Amino acid sequence: MTTSQKNILVLTILVVLNIVVLFSVHYWRKSHQVTLETHRPKSVGIGGPAIEAFDRSTDRWIEEMKAESIEESFALLNDLYEYRYSKITEYSGFDSMSFDTHEDRENKLYKYAVPQALSNRRFLKALEDLKKLSRSECVKLLTQCIQDNLKEKIRLYELDTVGTVMNKGLYRDNWALYLGESEGGNDFYRSRRKPGTDITQFACRYGILSCVLLAGQLELGKEMRPVIEEVIQQAKREYALYNSLGDDANSFKWVTISESLYNPSVLVTGTLCDRSWNAELKKELVNKGKLINRETVDYRARTTEYDWPAAEGWINPEPFNSKLPFRYYEKITDEEFNAAFP
């Protein structure tokens, strides 16, 4: 074989090898449904088919959210199936339904509001998006989202809750909350409300309380106060109805308080939007250690701390870009709530 022939053979082998590599990379990318834009460095740790499937579904969900406008994202904040940390839906049996004391409500209901919010990547996206807008734009978006959900919440409250009490049918939905229907047949890459299904009080509650928490992250001034005060007034009405029910309506009481907007910690967190709102009480709450400052991952993170790979210790929750500061009040009592909103 001549030198020229040897050179041609070597060149041919190199070309073939390059083609094989290119096709291998293309096949891997296609099979994992990951683009260069969405691919995130994977942490070193336990892997396997379950983790790979989780990564693929997460990347698909992130791509979907990236294509949304901020208005579209806010309109979907009431989809309770996207909040992955929904402990309230796990209760069953008579003992677990007891909300008679503030301690019961704190341990079984109130304290889960922040984890529920932070477990939803769309909530995290909304938080990121708000930080890019002007104060007036933030006020407009949050106010509209709260008003839309509050209007529907009040309508359903009057129809389903007050109407049921007036008719003495105190066993609405028996032992369960009406959550709405979840969607199937979407390759199970994420859970979401089935399009076209009716909104529920419980879903409206998620949307409203999420927006109140978001308002508390941004110093928007007095412009946000009127709509938050509307939420507070409705929350008081719902809590008063709950307290008016007797022991002969335990299952109905459980549904009523679970659907209610009354959550002292979340509603007081909303006042953080305006420095002058309850300024003295806020100092007291800081001294009591009730103001929590923490950080959370951004919505494009490989996992949030509430996704199962992080919850089970398989993957560390690390941000895609940088962590987001998040502040809220916890363990606010009825007395402190009444002091904030007499």
Side-chain angles (χ1 to χ4, degrees):
M1 182 179 292
T2 66
T3 301
S4 177
Q5 290 174 321
K6 289 181 179 179
N7 289 338
I8 292 173
L9 178 62
V10 170
L11 181 61
T12 302
I13 292 172
L14 289 174
V15 169
V16 170
L17 286 174
N18 281 331
I19 292 173
V20 170
V21 170
L22 288 173
F23 270 101
S24 297
V25 170
H26 174 74
Y27 175 78
W28 185 91
R29 286 177 177 166
K30 183 177 180 180
S31 64
H32 285 71
Q33 296 180 341
V34 177
T35 65
L36 287 173
E37 186 178 3
T38 60
H39 178 70
R40 297 177 302 283
K42 307 301 183 185
S43 302
V44 177
I46 299 173
I51 295 296
E52 291 175 2
F54 171 81
D55 285 336
R56 288 195 297 271
S57 65
T58 299
D59 288 333
R60 184 172 174 181
W61 191 6
I62 291 171
E63 280 298 296
E64 179 182 325
M65 284 188 287
K66 283 170 60 179
E68 292 175 357
S69 68
I70 187 170
E71 291 82 7
E72 290 171 325
S73 296
F74 266 82
L76 292 169
L77 283 178
N78 60 16
D79 189 343
L80 61 90
Y81 284 101
E82 294 186 356
Y83 296 82
R84 301 194 172 192
Y85 193 80
S86 300
K87 287 289 184 180
I88 189 62
T89 65
E90 297 179 6
Y91 296 136
S92 62
F94 181 81
D95 291 339
S96 66
M97 292 190 344
S98 174
F99 289 107
D100 291 338
T101 68
H102 179 84
E103 183 179 17
D104 285 337
R105 295 188 292 275
E106 179 67 41
N107 291 330
K108 297 178 182 179
L109 180 61
Y110 299 154
K111 73 177 183 179
Y112 292 116
V114 169
Q116 284 165 352
L118 296 181
S119 72
N120 184 1
R121 289 178 184 268
R122 184 164 277 108
F123 177 89
L124 298 175
K125 177 182 183 293
L127 179 57
E128 286 188 64
D129 287 344
L130 285 172
K131 292 179 179 292
K132 302 172 186 175
L133 302 179
S134 67
R135 189 171 74 171
S136 61
E137 289 174 317
C138 290
V139 170
K140 182 179 179 181
L141 271 171
L142 287 165
T143 299
Q144 189 65 53
C145 185
I146 291 174
Q147 286 178 336
D148 288 347
N149 282 287
L150 185 58
K151 180 180 179 180
E152 185 65 10
K153 177 76 166 70
I154 292 173
R155 185 186 73 83
L156 293 170
Y157 170 78
E158 296 290 348
L159 179 67
D160 297 335
T161 308
V162 177
T164 302
V165 172
M166 296 297 291
N167 293 321
K168 306 299 182 184
L170 297 179
Y171 294 95
R172 180 172 64 88
D173 295 324
N174 291 322
W175 303 89
L177 294 168
Y178 175 42
L179 307 179
E181 295 182 60
S182 61
E183 182 182 37
N186 60 338
D187 299 332
F188 301 101
Y189 75 100
R190 68 175 178 87
S191 58
R192 62 182 176 183
R193 185 172 67 240
K194 186 176 181 180
T197 57
D198 293 336
I199 196 74
T200 67
Q201 283 197 64
F202 202 39
C204 292
R205 172 184 175 273
Y206 270 70
I208 294 166
L209 295 186
S210 291
C211 284
V212 172
L213 284 170
L214 287 170
Q217 310 313 305
L218 308 164
E219 293 187 354
L220 302 175
K222 295 181 179 180
E223 292 86 349
M224 274 305 302
R225 287 180 62 166
V227 72
I228 294 178
E229 287 172 341
E230 290 180 36
V231 174
I232 292 164
Q233 291 306 310
Q234 178 61 19
K236 287 182 175 181
R237 289 181 65 205
E238 295 173 352
Y239 190 51
L241 176 65
Y242 164 78
N243 284 324
S244 72
L245 298 171
D247 293 337
D248 59 335
N250 279 329
S251 63
F252 186 78
K253 289 179 68 175
W254 177 74
V255 173
T256 300
I257 193 64
S258 299
E259 289 178 334
S260 175
L261 293 171
Y262 188 80
N263 185 311
S265 296
V266 172
L267 297 176
V268 174
T269 296
T271 68
L272 291 171
C273 69
D274 180 6
R275 286 188 179 184
S276 65
W277 198 355
N278 291 317
E280 291 302 317
L281 176 62
K282 287 175 181 174
K283 292 179 183 179
E284 294 177 17
L285 296 176
V286 168
N287 292 334
K288 292 178 181 178
K290 295 193 174 186
L291 178 62
I292 307 302
N293 288 282
R294 58 175 289 183
E295 292 182 324
T296 183
V297 297
D298 45 13
Y299 84 95
R300 288 186 290 173
R302 185 185 184 189
T303 179
T304 73
E305 63 183 289
Y306 304 103
D307 292 325
W308 69 264
E312 296 183 14
W314 287 38
I315 304 174
N316 291 326
E318 300 170 352
F320 176 74
N321 283 323
S322 59
K323 288 195 172 184
L324 305 171
F326 195 84
R327 56 183 184 163
Y328 60 96
Y329 290 105
E330 67 173 8
K331 300 178 181 178
I332 299 297
T333 65
D334 289 342
E335 292 73 22
E336 290 164 337
F337 173 84
N338 291 329
F341 313 113

